[in-house]
Amino acid sequence: VSTTWHSNEDDVYRAPPIDRSLLPTAPRAAREPNIDRSRLPKSPPYTAFLGNLPYDVTEDSIKDFFRGLNISAVRLPREPTNPERLKGFGYAEFEDIDSLFQALSLNEE
């Protein structure tokens, strides 16, 4: 990959070299989740924000996605002007911190 390009004045610019030691060497699924445990709540409720949800998602489909984890509640807010339409985000509450940690490690799934 070339890191050289030219400007309109034909001056040559060089991008800084890429430090390849910072690039991941394993697929995302094989890496440890990048979650700071110190920022997780120390006591209940253990709630995860669920963003970018399809408008036709159901509580059952959320529970199915998190199957194997101790999920205690799902909240899917609806539009006030149209109660049939979801807002596209929600919340999942878990019974224990380990379930919350595992749920957060599914980010972008």
Side-chain angles (χ1 to χ4, degrees):
V1 175
S2 173
T3 58
T4 304
W5 62 89
H6 297 275
S7 73
N8 291 339
E9 296 87 32
D10 285 332
D11 294 329
V12 175
Y13 296 96
R14 292 200 180 273
I18 297 171
D19 182 0
R20 299 203 186 278
S21 68
L22 299 175
L23 297 175
T25 58
R28 178 177 288 182
R31 286 184 264 148
E32 180 71 23
N34 187 18
I35 299 168
D36 183 1
R37 281 189 173 261
S38 69
R39 298 190 67 195
L40 296 180
K42 305 294 184 233
S43 60
Y46 303 112
T47 306
F49 173 79
L50 310 174
N52 201 25
L53 295 175
Y55 294 116
D56 61 348
V57 72
T58 64
E59 287 185 25
D60 288 336
S61 63
I62 298 292
K63 289 178 181 178
D64 186 48
F65 179 79
F66 290 120
R67 76 177 158 268
L69 303 180
N70 296 323
I71 191 166
S72 58
V74 174
R75 294 187 313 259
L76 299 171
R78 298 181 179 277
E79 293 287 345
T81 57
N82 182 1
E84 297 296 317
R85 183 180 167 107
L86 297 174
K87 287 190 170 186
F89 66 90
Y91 304 92
E93 190 173 316
F94 298 90
E95 295 177 10
D96 55 72
I97 192 73
D98 291 329
S99 291
L100 174 63
F101 181 79
Q102 290 177 7
L104 293 174
S105 68
L106 296 173
N107 191 25
E108 296 183 23
E109 289 294 321

